[in-house]
Amino acid sequence: MGASRKTVQIVILIGVLLIGGYAIGKTLFADDQGPPGVGDRPPDFSLLGMDGEVHNLSDYEGKALVINFWGTFCPPCVEEMPEFQRQYEKWRGEDFDILAINLSEADLPVANFVRQMDLDYPLLRDVNRRTERNYGLRSYPTTFFVKKDGTIMEVFVGGMTEEQINERVERLLET
Amino acid sequence: MFQNTKCECGHQNHVGTVLCEYCGKPLGEESLSEEPLEMRYDGVARRSQKANPSWIDRIWNFFSSVKIAVYLIVITLLGSTLGTIYPQESTFLSGDPTTYYEVNYGLPGKIYYALGLSRTYESWWFITLLVMIGTSLVICSLDRVLPLYRALNKQSIRKHLTFLKRQRVVFTRDIPGDPEEFVEKLGEQLKRKGYRVNRDGTALLAEKGRFSRWGPYINHIGLILFLLAVLARSIPGWYMDSYVTLPEGEAVEIKDTNYYIKNEKFTVQYYTDDELPDELKGTLRAKLYETKAVLYECTAYCGDLTREPELKEVHRHDIIVNDPLSYKGLHAYQFDFDETPKLKAVKPVLVDKQTGESYGPFELSMTNPEISYQVGPYTLELRDQFMEFAIGENGKPTTLSREPNAPAFFFLIKGPGLPKEGESYLYFPREIDKVRFSQDQINRDIADRFEIKVGSMENVVLSGATTFLNIRVDTAIPYVWVGAAISMIGLILGFYWQHRRIWLRIDDGKLTLGAHTNKNWFGMRGDVASALRKLDIVVEPKSLDNGGNKT
Amino acid sequence: MSFLEFSSDAFIAAFFLYCFGFLFYMIAIGGKKWSNRDPEQHVKRWGRVAYIVSTLGLVAHLAFFFTRWIGAGHIPTSNMYEFMTFLGMSIMIAFTVIYSIYRSPLLGMFALPLTIIIVAYASVFPQEVQPLIPALNSIWLKIHVTTAALGEAFFAVGFAAGLMYLLRVVDFKGKTKEARRAQRWVEFTLYVIIVVISFIITVFVFRGMGYEAEFKQMQVNIDSRGQETTTEENVQYTMPPIFKPYNSETISMDSFIGMKQPLLETPYWMDGVNAGRKLNTVVWSIIAGSLLYGLLRLVFRKPLGAVIHPAMEGIDPEDLDEISYRAIAIGFPIFTLGALIFAMIWANIAWSRFWGWDPKEVWALITWLYYSAYLHLRLSRGWQGHRSAWLAVIGFVIVMFTLIGVNLIIAGLHSYAGV
């Protein structure tokens, strides 16, 4: 009887350790439910581009990425777009891309806007604010700098100058 | 250390036994006292009581202690109060928790947030406490239930005299006449009271309600199941909690599922003044919130961005508070609403001011307009659209937001009598904007020839109220209820029935009776007194009380 | 006569019958030593009269409950007035159940005043029938609230018996440190009860006088964009303002024995809903309670515990201990079912989750944990009698905090049950 008692004890204690450890561990290493921040992986998306192609975030794996959210109704967004265009041209050929996601606007204003601006980096169209929500956006513009290993280096809220972008892209490419 | 655990009756007991498992004679320290016996778990050794405990035994012993269990309960209780000081993060949907507490509650709020108390019930220490309580539930129960089961299953009828005399209910009296006959008669009386009676010549054991001893353990099993069910929600796919915003008439995808849900109509009803008491008259008191909802399953092109998904209706339900939509484990609950009407489309006509003739109407959607419209002989080409029209700093028209708060449409009108490249015309569907931005001045000459206008309210399409639903999947729920039900059964068995036992023996014409119950001594004494009274022995129930601790 | 009119008449009848029942219990106990009578016969006879009268009170109370149910079209447990009257009725039911087991008439002497206080407290709240808001429109309103209240009523009887036990066994002449400590705490408990009674009296006195004061309170909010907005809100007082609302101006104010201006201002950090008014009420209750307590001390010239103690002679303390334990043991499964399990089932239907750590839910859990600790402690030696009685008293304080305190101080999803 002594031996079987010992076995029961050990089995139960191991069970408690596994189940209890799992429950406690879950609280310590909980998935951050808030918006993605530094060190997190940006939420996946699959969006239609202005070029008529479907763009998945996973298509850009291994590249340094700038994910920029913009809208025609947001003056600082509009102002910074030519800056991004210049950066895009500067780093062409590197392992680098810019994805500019429009904030779920109607077709016509976006099309008109793009025609005027002459931008050639990928412009994507969010639908019903879904991607924007997944990224936990609170104000516009917001720009995510993603390292080659797929984690976020920085989240920048507000309009950016070319200098600011350039400095960050240089750091991104070093990773 | 050598410990003699052999009783004088010859039975070999386990280490830690308080009362001999066979005859009930008190052992060890318990035998030195004159007080009523410690009858917990019938005096058997708990599993954990053994000589030379190893470290595994020590952990086991820690969790098997009721004292530790009470400590754990009290600490959990105190910890829980902390979480009710300020609202928990989980209770507000909007607002940034990093600033919320400081803004609303000042320095104490800041400390509260910094200590992690804004997420008390998800914190590692709180979950650790729950895990420890769960462990204690398992080990405490196991440690006691098996020895107790064994002890109750093989009770001897003739107990040691000391065992009887040191019960909490005791009665002794000299009995004239045949002792066997007396025991038999008393046995009859106890049988009538629902006792199971076992006789052994001049000794008797009457027992009732033994099952109630299992109540606490059944309760504990239920609680463990309950805790495991709650934990099971972290199994992937078992738990989902999200919110959807449903404008009227639009099927919206439910995130992470293959379902779409549509709000066909949302209604709020308020109580009329007749239905309200005086002091509430004139106030808006909601009577009903209802979303007529339709659930669709996507059958083709689900993830395809270039094509519209194919939807098949699978379920429809009028969701009201307290009556959610449920379909295959997916539930949709009424959560909130926004009644503000939004301009969805207008059906204007093009009026030739010179002839007075009007062409159209044509339907102009605010969010998704066509590129061109053919009205009569004229063509209206839509060149640009502004959701919230404004003149920008550079003097050019721009939009302030993406909501149709002040929509404006920039058309080129082409047709007979107009230049080939067309005339530009800026159209504000809302009368208030037309005045505010002086539509006619902007359009200049062309304003004298043409006007785009909406004839009547019938030609204005407003969207109905938007409803917000809470979408839930919680596969563990049935197990939660099963756990709760088992726990409840255990509580009822344990608290509404009692285990009562009466032992008696007659030695040389002297009756010795002892009785024990785990609860309700009042009833126990009553049982004994009334059975004795039937044999013409009148005793006041209270006089049977031998003093001592009650449990 | 409509159902609702009949109902409010029945309520008044019930209240007075309870008061008379209490009076007869006092005669039963206090008159024991009157001359020319056999004390045992006296207690038996008057105890019986008192029991019958209080049972009639319960019948009238039940009549109030069911006629209001019919008249309103929904079960009257949906606001504070209705809930508290129901709790009072449940205490009477729990008392009747315990009485039928133990036949101890003296229990009524403590259960009845408890019921009277709770019913009187209920009357402080608006009494009109209010139609149900959508969240409450569910069959679970009946099931959850009634079972939870019944469970709590048994805890209340456990409290009454526990307090009786203490008044019976505490040595009011003792000079030892322990005896003094016990005396002090019993006295404090009685003082708190007197403050509660004074609160009710104060409310009704000022209501009878028709006292009114009104303030305009300015609240400055800073929104997320950093813009300041000021909202103005009018706050009505029905008691003379010792504390006016924070950052407010007097619009109108009846004068009260020469008091024409508010004396003090509520501190800024008390910023809950109606914080000023609540603080003012609390301060008034404490002042009135202290006055009443002081007056009683002057009249009796000894601690109130020592005044009541002799009346308890002849009651077996062991019986009281068991009654207290038994009441809690009977109440515990009912409370578990009503306040936790049924609550979870309803929450799962109405709010889409069975448990959401809402303050009211947490406090129900705290109450449950507390009583489960109590029940486990009863298994150990040394936790019967004295300690057990104190636990029963503290437990009831937790119950009352869950029912009232949470609504007054914390609020949350259950706020419609508030004041």
Side-chain angles (χ1 to χ4, degrees), chain C residues 203-216:
Chain C
V203 168
F204 282 102
V205 165
F206 285 120
R207 197 178 282 177
M209 287 163 56
Y211 187 88
E212 266 175 23
E214 197 174 1
F215 299 92
K216 187 163 75 183

Side-chain angles (χ1 to χ4, degrees), chain B residues 520-532:
Chain B
N520 191 5
W521 292 95
F522 191 86
M524 181 79 257
R525 292 195 296 263
D527 275 3
V528 172
S530 84
L532 288 172

Side-chain angles (χ1 to χ4, degrees), chain B residues 23-43:
Chain B
C23 73
K25 182 178 183 292
L27 303 170
E29 269 180 42
E30 192 66 27
S31 65
L32 306 173
S33 157
E34 287 297 313
E35 289 277 295
L37 292 173
E38 177 61 81
M39 285 290 287
R40 273 188 296 164
Y41 321 114
D42 265 36

Side-chain angles (χ1 to χ4, degrees), chain B residues 5-76:
Chain B
T5 54
K6 196 166 181 172
C7 176
E8 65 178 34
C9 70
H11 186 80
Q12 181 68 52
N13 292 296
H14 293 285
V15 174
T17 306
V18 182
L19 305 172
C20 171
E21 286 170 13
Y22 183 73
C23 73
K25 182 178 183 292
L27 303 170
E29 269 180 42
E30 192 66 27
S31 65
L32 306 173
S33 157
E34 287 297 313
E35 289 277 295
L37 292 173
E38 177 61 81
M39 285 290 287
R40 273 188 296 164
Y41 321 114
D42 265 36
V44 293
R46 286 187 281 117
R47 283 178 73 99
S48 59
Q49 288 173 327
K50 62 192 270 192
N52 307 320
S54 67
W55 65 272
I56 290 181
D57 294 322
R58 282 176 204 279
I59 297 174
W60 186 269
N61 291 355
F62 176 80
F63 282 110
S64 73
S65 150
V66 175
K67 201 169 107 186
I68 296 295
V70 171
Y71 276 125
L72 288 174
I73 292 174
V74 172
I75 297 169
T76 310

